[in-house]
Amino acid sequence: MYRRTEDYHPLLNCFAEEWFIKKLEYITGYQDLKFTWDMTFVSNYGPGHYNGPHTDGMNGRIAFVFHLSKDWKPWNGGLFLRMDPDWTKADAVISPSFNKFAMFNVFGNGYGAPHLVTEVAQGCTNKRISYTGWYQ
């Protein structure tokens, strides 16, 4: 339960630029990563919003989340949890603090890496905003 939009700020263009994609290729070891705008979105989570356990299927090889919420605290909720392949425990937890870029591998196991976003705390006056997408 959250909202998505495709209204992008021009500064997000950097994710499509060749220099940035080359850096991702260097970091990940993948070659010929492809970026398309239709594989990205901006999400806006408010109090009570969450994204339950799921995979991204075969949307791409690398998933990314660029966090844009200023003054976010872990107790606000909205934590990103990547789960182990058995869906039994979290093997990575990321608090969505401002200007944090997270990426993870979603390619190769047939269904993608299990993950979720925890519920944003009731009474939280901040919005959990992030730019998300996949490189193929």
Side-chain angles (χ1 to χ4, degrees):
M1 183 164 143
Y2 60 95
R3 291 184 324 140
R4 286 186 178 182
T5 182
E6 294 178 0
D7 297 328
Y8 302 121
H9 191 281
L11 289 177
L12 296 178
N13 289 335
C14 71
F15 291 95
E17 292 182 7
E18 183 177 350
W19 67 267
F20 188 82
I21 294 170
K22 292 294 180 196
K23 292 277 187 195
L24 288 180
E25 289 174 347
Y26 175 77
I27 292 167
T28 64
Y30 283 121
Q31 295 180 354
D32 300 319
L33 288 174
K34 304 286 187 259
F35 176 90
T36 58
W37 286 103
D38 64 337
M39 294 298 289
T40 68
F41 61 92
V42 175
S43 62
N44 177 349
Y45 292 72
H49 292 178
Y50 64 92
N51 195 351
H54 66 282
T55 70
D56 294 341
M58 299 308 290
N59 285 333
R61 295 182 280 172
I62 299 294
F64 72 88
V65 182
F66 180 49
H67 298 284
L68 299 166
S69 299
K70 290 190 175 182
D71 302 319
W72 196 265
K73 306 295 184 216
W75 52 85
N76 290 335
L79 304 174
F80 173 88
L81 279 65
R82 189 187 67 200
M83 301 169 74
D84 69 1
D86 295 330
W87 300 66
T88 57
K89 64 180 178 184
D91 60 15
V93 178
I94 296 173
S95 180
S97 57
F98 182 70
N99 206 28
K100 184 179 284 184
F101 180 80
M103 63 181 172
F104 59 97
N105 185 11
V106 295
F107 185 71
N109 61 5
Y111 59 87
H115 55 282
L116 61 95
V117 174
T118 66
E119 183 176 345
V120 174
Q122 295 296 329
C124 178
T125 58
N126 204 346
K127 298 287 185 191
R128 183 194 187 274
I129 300 170
S130 60
Y131 176 58
T132 301
W134 300 270
Y135 288 88
Q136 302 185 3

